[in-house]
Amino acid sequence: MNADQEIFELIEAERKRQQSGLELIASENFASDQVMRAMGSVLTNKYAEGLPGKRYYGGCEIVDRVEDLARNRLKTLFNAEWVNVQPHSGAQANAAVMLACLNPGDTILGFDLSHGGHLTHGSPVNFSGKLYKPTFYGVEKDTEIIDYDRVEKTASKEKPKMIICGASAYSRDWDYERLRKIADENNAILLADISHPSGLIAKGILKDPLAHCHIVTSTTHKTLRGPRGGIIMMGSDFENPFGHKTPKGQIKMMSQLLDSAVFPGTQGGPLEHVIAAKAVAFGEALTDEFMHYTVQVVKNAKVMATAFVEKGYHVISNGTDNHSMLIDLRSKNITGKAAEKALELADVTVNKNMVPFDDKSPFVTSGMRVGTPALTTRGLVEEDMKRVVDYIDKVLSNPDNEQITNTVKAEINDWMKDKPLFAQ
Ligand code: DSN
């Protein structure tokens, strides 16, 4: 059969874009060839509604083994007692958890989207803010860090059924132990969405949420460097902490509730080709090479944050513990929207982002978010981060100067041309 020229030309154009530029979007990464091979395999042809050993279709013996490998590797990676690897995305994972644990109208307490939180943690434009009653905590104005005493006060006032921690743009580690105490005081379920730092958590570089949180969700394509997808995990609270009962009065374990909230609650057939790719990525994440990778991600981020501060940029909370940072551009007299556009013209990809207490709309914003997972996968190290910040500063200091933009772009293209997407 002929290749679909139209679409494969576009795929090749995207490959060249990824190859020639600097990828700084904190939620993006480059998956290995074997992850992509698994995703592009015949497993896409198979329906397998249900779980390994309990499917609604024949012919599932092999996909059962694939999914079991994914589940077992994930359990080992995070020291989890129970996992579900079927969510198609992080949003789907969070939807399933909320369906399993909450009734419509229940109060949830999440990290404010405009301070770095996520849409699925209660935003009014998302199912989580429409079906449930959202309340929020945020960072302090002076420190730009979460004050857990204030979270405790907010929780005792709002009495949430679920407290959600985790963020899309918060560069500090989380105090899961303290949050669990706050959840227990309010008889609330504690959900950690670790989509951003999950790769770093897997290797012990950041605190372990599974030791304290009832339920943990993540995507698999950010610092975990797998295919685009989601997962749900439980650690020590494997048993149902709230005694949900079936109509016949049997206590259902939380794991059963979560499994059925994924399928048939919110999804149909699982994507077994993606689950195979997840298994490959979990296998990669179990290696020492991945340990070196995650250590380098954080080293690179710290050097990058310092380089920005030295050039007079306001890095929110003055630094980072993880792979990302949020930069308030107001002191540089450029909006997030204008910065994103100017950098794009120089083949540097970032995203505009609200900063805490922003006075601009989400379409304009006062900030940009950057991260090091993708550049580190390409093999870049600390010295390279300083060079990246020099380029960014040159462009943002002269956003309308086409000559400077073109010179920076040419230098970046030349620098990147021989660097594979997946080097380390
Ligand atoms: N869109 C993701 C991010 O960029 O952080 C979160 O879903």
Side-chain angles (χ1 to χ4, degrees), residues 25 27 118 168 196 222 369:
I25 293 181
S27 49
H118 191 252
S168 294
H196 263 262
K222 297 187 175 92
R369 183 186 64 166

Side-chain angles (χ1 to χ4, degrees), residues 64-249:
D64 276 4
R65 284 163 61 192
V66 167
E67 192 165 338
D68 270 336
L69 260 181
R71 295 201 293 189
N72 291 334
R73 287 179 183 176
L74 182 59
K75 279 187 194 168
T76 310
L77 189 58
F78 284 92
N79 200 15
E81 292 284 344
W82 171 91
V83 299
N84 186 306
V85 295
Q86 292 189 353
H88 302 330
S89 67
Q92 290 289 118
N94 289 342
V97 171
M98 290 183 191
L99 182 73
C101 301
L102 300 169
N103 289 313
D106 280 350
T107 300
I108 57 175
L109 174 62
F111 186 46
D112 195 328
L113 180 64
S114 66
H115 287 202
H118 191 252
L119 278 172
T120 57
H121 301 177
S123 162
V125 296
N126 180 260
F127 78 91
S128 56
K130 290 183 193 285
L131 287 182
Y132 311 108
K133 184 175 165 249
T135 59
F136 297 100
Y137 58 93
V139 297
E140 298 299 300
K141 213 163 190 171
D142 50 345
T143 59
E144 297 169 330
I145 287 176
I146 292 167
D147 173 353
Y148 291 92
D149 290 338
R150 199 193 289 275
V151 178
E152 186 169 21
K153 283 192 195 119
T154 309
S156 97
K157 178 167 157 263
E158 304 290 356
K159 292 272 170 261
K161 280 269 298 272
M162 176 178 280
I163 297 175
I164 306 151
C165 57
S168 294
Y170 186 60
S171 57
R172 297 301 176 180
D173 204 355
W174 292 76
D175 190 345
Y176 302 109
E177 193 174 356
R178 178 78 195 273
L179 284 166
R180 177 56 187 267
K181 282 197 190 115
I182 298 171
D184 286 346
E185 280 161 19
N186 294 281
N187 201 24
I189 295 177
L190 180 58
L191 164 65
D193 177 347
I194 59 166
S195 292
H196 263 262
S198 52
L200 311 182
I201 289 169
K203 302 315 271 186
I205 289 171
L206 295 173
K207 287 188 195 128
D208 177 16
L210 276 99
H212 303 288
C213 303
H214 294 111
I215 305 169
V216 177
T217 56
S218 181
T219 52
T220 46
H221 49 273
K222 297 187 175 92
T223 49
L224 210 43
R225 210 165 60 177
R228 209 154 269 284
I231 47 175
I232 309 176
M233 304 183 278
M234 279 196 291
S236 50
D237 285 294
F238 179 55
E239 296 298 324
N240 176 8
F242 294 95
H244 288 274
K245 292 194 175 155
T246 64
K248 287 184 181 160

Side-chain angles (χ1 to χ4, degrees), residues 269-335:
L271 311 176
E272 291 297 340
H273 55 306
V274 178
I275 289 172
K278 287 174 182 172
V280 172
F282 303 151
E284 290 175 353
L286 283 163
T287 61
D288 289 343
E289 284 78 14
F290 194 76
M291 180 78 201
H292 297 314
Y293 164 69
T294 52
V295 167
Q296 192 63 50
V297 165
V298 176
K299 278 188 191 166
N300 283 353
K302 285 187 191 300
V303 170
M304 182 176 276
T306 304
F308 273 119
V309 170
E310 281 171 4
K311 288 196 180 292
Y313 287 81
H314 175 183
V315 175
I316 297 295
S317 86
N318 216 23
T320 180
D321 296 331
N322 60 27
H323 62 294
S324 70
M325 67 212 72
L326 194 51
I327 296 163
D328 187 335
L329 294 164
R330 283 177 284 199
S331 60
K332 295 286 176 180
N333 282 323
I334 184 165
T335 65

